Amino acid sequence: MLPQVPFYFLRHGETDWNRERRLQGHIDIPLNANGETQAESVRAIAASFGFKSIAVSPLSRARRTAEIVNDGLGLPITEFADLREFSCGPYEGSTDGSWLDDWRADRAVAGPEGFEAFRARVLAGMREALRLDRPVLVVAHGGVFWALQRLLGFAEVTHLPNAVIVRFEPPVDSSGRWRIVRGG
């Protein structure tokens, strides 16, 4: 179970492969010029959130986003290998996402890292990340966002655009439901 503390999540800025709708997985694709600009736009509002630390995937697209957002804030940035994107296996670099619905429904798909195993990895990474000084900004990937939604009991997983901050808020009543608030 994830610690019941609020945290912020930021999907990395755009890459050329995002623009081309290619599956990146573990391939270390850098931000493109638009992704850098997106991260700079987030930096303009980041100070208002009062972050104390940043947890980041080790993949350069996430790391660079975190560095740009952190410019001028001077916060500690800590990498967590368990927050890297899921391995798409033979689909990395492909535009064939026809298998993703089955994968997100925990049906067997040959080749990629299983969604259940991926969720377990993300959970381990988040437990470590949420030990950092709070409020924590987690900078990672779209797949990590999907995993978090499922781990926190959301029936459907939704897409998060590049370079958008959301706040995950723990349950405040007996419903046990987490909330995701766009823009924090």
Side-chain angles (χ1 to χ4, degrees), residues 110-130:
E113 178 179 8
F115 194 31
E116 183 177 4
F118 177 57
R119 289 193 309 270
R121 176 165 61 80
V122 168
L123 177 60
M126 287 299 299
R127 284 179 175 156
E128 292 298 315
L130 293 178

Side-chain angles (χ1 to χ4, degrees), residues 31 37 43 61-62 79 83 119 131 135 137 141 146 149 153:
L31 296 180
T37 300
R43 180 182 63 216
R61 56 193 180 264
E79 284 187 7
L83 296 179
R119 289 193 309 270
R131 290 183 180 154
L137 172 63
H141 310 275
W146 293 338
Q149 289 175 85

